[in-house]
Amino acid sequence: YARNERVVGPASAPPATNERPRLILHLGATKTGSTLLQHLLEDNRAELLRAGIWYPEVGLFWQEDRPHKQAGHARFMEAADSGAPELRQHILDGLALMKGRIHTIILSSEAFFLNPKSLSLPGYFDDFPTEMVVYLRRQDEWANSQYAEFVAGGAMNAKKSRFSSWLQEEETQTCLDYDRLIREWEKLLPKNALHIRRYQRVRGGNWSITDDFAETTGLPEISALPAPLQQKQNDARLSAAHVELVRQFNKRPFPSRKAYLNFIEDVVSGLNAWRRAQGLPMPGPWFLTEETADTIMAQAAPGNNRIARDYFGLPSGEALFPPRAKPPADCPVHLAEFDIVETAYAARKRGPR
C-alpha cells in the first residue's frame, strides 16, 4: 500500500466533519513485539478499513533498504511536538471522505515510549476520545534486549558504550522507570483510558501481543488477521559475544548513516546464515550478571509496586512479571565470523555500491 509521500490527498478540501472516532495510542514499549504488531496492521490496512479501523498510511518511519525495520507512526510525535498541522489535517480529511465508516484510529510507535515528545499527542488530538496502550517488560530483560538492539540492531543512533555504562545513562534510567512514564500519562488522560499491559512472552509459552492487544482494545478483528511474513518480524538476533564484536565496529567511521545500516544488515544476516550452515546455534544476547539484574529490579521496585497495586490489584511488584529467563549458553565467536564482519565493513566503507 502507498504510504507517506506517496499518498495523494484530495484535490480540494472535503467538507469538514465533526466526527471524532476513538483514538488509540500504542506506545510499545520497545522489545515487546511492537514491530510485529505494526507490520500486521500495515499489511492488513484495507481489511481493517472495511471493519472501521484506520491504521493511518502517513506519519510512518521506515528504514530505507530494510523493510523489516520500522518505527510506526513516529512522525506524528514530531508533528504534535512542533504543532505542524499536516498530519492531523490528513486524519480530518480522511474522516470526512470516509463519512462515518471509521470508529477507531490506531497510532503505534516505539518512539512514543522512548521519547517524551509523545506526551504532546493527546493535545494534538485534544478533540478525540483518546486511549493509551503500553506493554511493560520486566526491566532487567528489557535492558538486556534494548542494549543489543541499540548496538547491533541498526538503531538510528548506534551505541558504542559498554552495557554497564549504558545502564547508567540518564536516558536509560528514565526508560527503566515505568512508574514515571505512567504518571506522566495520568496527567493527560483519565485512568480508565490507560491500558497498562504486561509483556508475558516466555520460552515455550503461547502469549501473543496480537491477541492481547485485540482483547485490550476490544478489536477482535485484529486477532483474525494473517500473520506477517517471517522476514518482516525483526527477530534475527546475535549472541552477546557477537553484539560485542559489532560494538567494536561501531567505533569506526562510516561514509553515511545508510552505509552503516546496510553494514548492520549484512552482518546480522551473514552471521546467522554462516552459523546455520555450520549447524551452530545463535543464542539470544545476555549481558546480565545476577547482581546487575537484581540491582535493576531493586531500583524499579517502588514504582513496580505502585503499578502492580493500582493497575493489577497485586500486593507487590514481585508478581508483576514472569520470572527472569535463564541465561543462554556461552557462544564463542569463530575466526570466520570475524572475517564476515570485516568484509561487510570493507564493502560499506567504500560507500554506496
Side-chain angles (χ1 to χ4, degrees):
Y1 303 108
R3 56 178 177 259
N4 292 336
E5 66 279 355
R6 295 190 177 184
V7 177
V8 179
S12 58
T17 177
N18 292 324
E19 294 173 18
R20 296 295 185 268
R22 173 192 190 201
L23 174 65
I24 295 174
L25 301 175
H26 170 229
L27 275 58
T30 53
K31 312 314 297 179
T32 61
S34 302
T35 301
L36 171 66
L37 181 62
Q38 289 157 6
H39 279 298
L40 179 77
L41 301 176
E42 170 80 18
D43 290 352
N44 295 281
R45 179 174 288 114
E47 180 67 21
L48 290 169
L49 281 170
R50 285 190 283 269
I53 304 165
W54 188 12
Y55 184 72
E57 60 284 348
V58 296
L60 296 160
F61 177 84
W62 293 70
Q63 285 191 18
E64 187 180 0
D65 299 333
R66 305 180 78 210
H68 57 292
K69 300 293 286 189
Q70 62 157 304
H73 293 102
R75 292 175 178 172
F76 271 91
M77 177 185 67
E78 297 294 339
D81 183 64
S82 66
E86 291 81 7
L87 291 178
R88 174 184 161 87
Q89 190 60 49
H90 180 89
I91 297 298
L92 297 180
D93 289 346
L95 292 173
L97 291 169
M98 288 185 274
K99 297 179 180 177
R101 292 194 287 270
I102 300 300
H103 59 74
T104 302
I105 298 171
I106 300 174
L107 299 181
S108 172
S109 178
E110 304 93 315
F112 298 167
F113 171 78
L114 292 171
N115 195 321
K117 290 180 180 180
S118 64
L119 296 169
S120 302
L121 284 165
Y124 193 59
F125 292 103
D126 61 350
D127 49 347
F128 285 72
T130 301
E131 301 172 36
M132 179 272 270
V133 181
V134 65
Y135 285 86
L136 305 179
R137 184 175 183 177
R138 55 176 298 138
Q139 282 94 338
D140 50 1
E141 293 186 2
W142 176 86
N144 178 70
S145 293
Q146 188 61 65
Y147 176 74
E149 177 73 14
F150 278 157
V151 173
M156 297 307 291
N157 295 302
K159 291 294 180 181
K160 304 173 185 178
S161 55
R162 299 175 61 185
F163 180 65
S164 57
S165 300
W166 174 77
L167 276 178
Q168 300 308 314
E169 293 178 9
E170 181 178 358
E171 184 178 359
T172 306
Q173 290 294 309
T174 298
C175 287
L176 289 168
D177 186 356
Y178 298 159
D179 188 46
R180 175 209 54 81
L181 173 78
I182 293 171
R183 288 182 186 277
E184 291 294 333
W185 282 90
E186 287 173 343
K187 298 174 185 176
L188 302 172
L189 298 174
K191 187 175 179 180
N192 63 5
L194 303 178
H195 303 289
I196 314 303
R197 305 300 297 161
R198 293 177 287 177
Y199 178 79
Q200 300 192 77
R201 183 181 178 186
V202 295
R203 190 176 294 114
N206 59 4
W207 184 86
S208 161
I209 188 175
T210 299
D211 292 340
D212 193 275
F213 184 82
E215 181 179 355
T216 298
T217 57
L219 300 172
E221 300 89 345
I222 292 175
S223 286
L225 297 173
L229 297 174
Q230 185 67 30
Q231 59 264 36
K232 289 185 176 182
Q233 295 191 19
N234 192 31
D235 56 2
R237 64 188 185 187
L238 298 179
S239 74
H242 290 87
V243 171
E244 176 60 22
L245 174 58
V246 172
R247 186 176 75 86
Q248 300 306 316
F249 280 79
N250 285 353
K251 301 175 184 179
R252 300 188 185 187
F254 287 83
S256 66
R257 178 171 291 179
K258 180 179 179 180
Y260 171 72
L261 295 176
N262 286 333
F263 159 77
I264 290 293
E265 190 67 22
D266 292 346
V267 166
V268 174
S269 60
L271 290 173
N272 276 279
W274 184 86
R275 294 187 76 86
R276 282 194 302 270
Q278 305 305 312
L280 297 172
M282 178 67 88
W286 196 263
F287 302 94
L288 298 164
T289 64
E290 198 76 15
E291 180 182 4
T292 298
D294 287 345
T295 298
I296 292 172
M297 297 309 294
Q299 291 174 343
N304 286 354
N305 287 339
R306 187 188 82 92
I307 296 169
R309 181 182 65 251
D310 290 3
Y311 286 90
F312 297 97
L314 299 171
S316 75
E318 292 184 4
L320 193 58
F321 301 113
R324 184 181 305 146
K326 293 181 179 179
D330 288 340
C331 181
V333 179
H334 296 257
L335 286 175
E337 296 177 288
F338 283 88
D339 290 340
I340 289 170
V341 181
E342 192 68 65
T343 299
Y345 177 74
R348 297 302 178 181
K349 184 180 179 182
R350 295 193 295 267
R353 292 189 292 196

